[in-house]
Amino acid sequence: MNTIGKSWARKAALVAIVASVAACGLPRVGPSKAEIYAGSVQKQGDAFIVSVNDRVSRATAIVPALGFSEAFTSAGQVGSDTIRAGDVLGVSIWENVEDGILATAGAPAALEEVQVDGAGYIFIPYAGRVKAAGNSPEAIRRIITEKLESQTPDPQVMVRRMAGDGATVTITGSVGGQGVYPIERPTRTLNAMLARAGGVAIAPEIARVKIIRGNQTGEIWFEDLFENPSFDIALRGGDRILVEEDTRAFTALGATGAQSRVGFETQTLSAIEAIATVGGLQSNTADPTGVFVFRNEPAEIANAVLGRSDLVGAQRMVYVLNLTEPNGMFNARDFVIRDGDTVYVTEAPYVQWTKVLTAVTSSISSADTLTSLGQ
C-alpha cells in the first residue's frame, strides 16, 4: 500500500473510532451538570433546581423536633413506696373494744397476703373495696382507718408491702443492662434510671431516648437531658424506655472519596460535613462547581424556597452548591442535610475529554498495529 493509501486508511480508522465512541459513550459516575439542568421544570422536566444562598439555607434548615409533651414534663415524682397492681400487702387491724368486729381488744386481726387486683383495689371486711394502686402504704392505712371508724371506735391499722417491687419501668435497647427496674428513691427520674441501667451503650451524639406511657409517646436526644433539665422527667410505673441509635442517613454518589449510604453522626449535619464524611471531593475528577443535593421537599418548604404559594404535595428539589464562589464554602457549611438526601458531585468536564482522548489514542494504536500486520 502506498503512502497516500496509508494516510486515507488512518483517517478512515480515526473517523470510525470517534463515531464509535460518540455512539457508545464512556464510563462515568453519573449525569453531567448539563444533563441535570436539562431535567429542570424550566426545561419541561420535573425538578426545581435552586442555587443555595443564605435565604435557601434558612428556609430548608429543618432538624427533627424531639421533646416531651406537657403531660410528661408536668408529672410529679412518684414515691418509692407506691403500690401497684399485683403487689401483695399485709394488713393488721387493732380495735379498742373487747368484742370487735374483726378482733378482740389487744389482739390484731391480720389479713396476710391481700393481693392488689388488676383494677388496683383490695377488699377489707367492713371497709369494702379500697383503692391501693397509686397510693403509698401510709395513704392506704389512712383510707382503711377512715372507713372503719364508723364501724368500730378508734381502730388502729398497719399496712405494709409483703411482695412486689411497686412501680417499675422496662428499659431496652442500647443500654448497659436491659431489664425491669423498680422506681426507687434515687431513680425517680429518667436520667437517674438510665444511669441505673448502665448508661447508653452508643455514642451520646446519636442516641435517642423514647418513652411509651400508655397511649402517649415522647422522644428526645440523649444529649438534651444534660442541656435541658426539664427533659429529665419523672417516671411512672409501666413506662417503657427505649434507647436507640439515630437511623437518619444520606447517600453520597459521584466524584467523592466514597460512594455509599452514610448514617448521621451528629444531630445536625451540613453539606460540607457530609462531603467530608465520605472523604471529600476527588481532587483529580470532581467538579467543585457541581455539588448537588437531591431531595423530596414538603410543599410548605418548597413554596418558601421558590417564593410561591401554589405548590401542593412533595416537590422534587435539586439544590446546587458552587464551592468556588466567594461564599460557596459558607453556603455549604450552612446548608443542612436531611434524612434521605442524595449528595451528588459531578465530574469535571475535562475528565470526559481525557477519557475520549485515551480511548481514541488507544484505538489508533491498535489500528496501526493491524495496518502493519496487513502489509
Side-chain angles (χ1 to χ4, degrees):
M1 180 181 294
N2 57 30
T3 303
I4 296 176
K6 291 180 180 180
S7 177
W8 279 108
R10 182 188 296 271
K11 291 178 181 179
L14 179 60
V15 171
I17 292 169
V18 172
S20 175
V21 170
C24 300
L26 290 168
R28 52 181 177 160
V29 296
S32 65
K33 280 201 302 183
E35 290 169 333
I36 293 175
Y37 279 107
S40 68
V41 171
Q42 293 86 344
K43 296 184 178 181
Q44 286 69 54
D46 62 353
F48 292 98
I49 299 180
V50 179
S51 295
V52 174
N53 54 33
D54 292 340
R55 184 186 63 82
V56 172
S57 294
R58 288 193 298 270
T60 59
I62 306 298
V63 178
L66 302 183
F68 293 126
S69 66
E70 185 179 357
F72 283 97
T73 57
S74 62
Q77 291 188 2
V78 174
S80 59
D81 54 354
T82 301
I83 303 300
R84 65 174 300 184
D87 285 356
V88 177
L89 305 180
V91 181
S92 297
I93 302 172
W94 286 264
E95 298 183 63
N96 287 327
V97 294
E98 290 295 330
D99 190 13
I101 57 174
L102 294 173
T104 58
L111 305 175
E112 297 292 345
E113 297 188 357
V114 179
Q115 187 172 29
V116 182
D117 64 23
Y121 288 84
I122 58 174
F123 177 78
I124 302 296
Y126 298 100
R129 282 168 57 81
V130 175
K131 179 68 173 179
N135 289 321
S136 66
E138 171 60 21
I140 298 171
R141 184 195 69 78
R142 290 197 301 268
I143 294 173
I144 296 174
T145 299
E146 291 174 359
K147 291 194 173 189
L148 289 178
E149 280 179 337
S150 62
Q151 308 287 333
T152 184
D154 193 24
Q156 304 296 304
V157 181
M158 183 175 69
V159 178
R160 60 196 180 281
R161 179 187 286 114
M162 303 293 293
D165 292 325
T168 61
V169 300
T170 303
I171 304 180
T172 57
S174 301
V175 292
Q178 302 183 71
V180 178
Y181 293 87
I183 300 178
E184 301 172 326
R185 188 174 298 277
T187 57
R188 295 178 180 178
T189 62
L190 176 58
N191 196 25
M193 187 62 76
L194 289 174
R196 175 66 179 84
V200 299
I202 54 179
E205 296 83 1
I206 56 174
R208 299 167 70 144
V209 182
K210 179 185 293 185
I211 296 184
I212 302 174
R213 178 178 297 171
N215 59 357
Q216 296 181 325
T217 300
E219 186 173 10
I220 60 166
W221 296 102
F222 177 72
E223 284 189 326
D224 289 345
L225 280 176
F226 299 92
E227 298 176 4
N228 192 339
S230 65
F231 286 151
D232 192 17
I233 61 173
L235 298 176
R236 287 289 182 272
D239 281 354
R240 289 177 291 163
I241 304 172
L242 172 64
V243 179
E244 58 184 351
E245 183 176 340
D246 184 16
T247 58
R248 294 175 300 157
F250 71 95
T251 302
L253 296 174
T256 59
Q259 301 187 50
S260 61
R261 186 175 184 272
V262 184
F264 282 40
E265 297 180 353
T266 54
Q267 290 186 28
T268 59
L269 182 70
S270 69
I272 203 72
E273 290 171 328
I275 294 171
T277 300
V278 294
L281 305 183
Q282 290 184 345
S283 59
N284 59 336
T285 60
D287 180 3
T289 69
V291 178
F292 296 89
V293 178
F294 295 78
R295 174 186 301 164
N296 288 335
E297 201 73 271
E300 57 271 21
I301 298 179
N303 280 315
V305 169
L306 299 170
R308 300 173 56 166
S309 60
D310 59 323
L311 298 175
V312 178
Q315 302 294 318
R316 291 184 175 182
M317 305 288 286
V318 180
Y319 296 102
V320 187
L321 291 160
N322 183 348
L323 302 185
T324 65
E325 292 180 343
N327 61 343
M329 296 294 284
F330 287 102
N331 286 333
R333 183 200 63 183
D334 297 336
F335 186 79
V336 175
I337 299 298
R338 300 214 301 268
D339 184 30
D341 281 356
T342 297
V343 179
Y344 174 69
V345 180
T346 58
E347 290 183 332
Y350 87 92
V351 174
Q352 283 300 108
W353 283 108
T354 302
K355 291 178 181 179
V356 171
L357 292 176
T358 300
V360 169
T361 53
S362 298
S363 299
I364 289 175
S365 297
S366 299
D368 284 341
T369 301
L370 292 174
T371 301
S372 299
L373 291 175
Q375 291 180 349

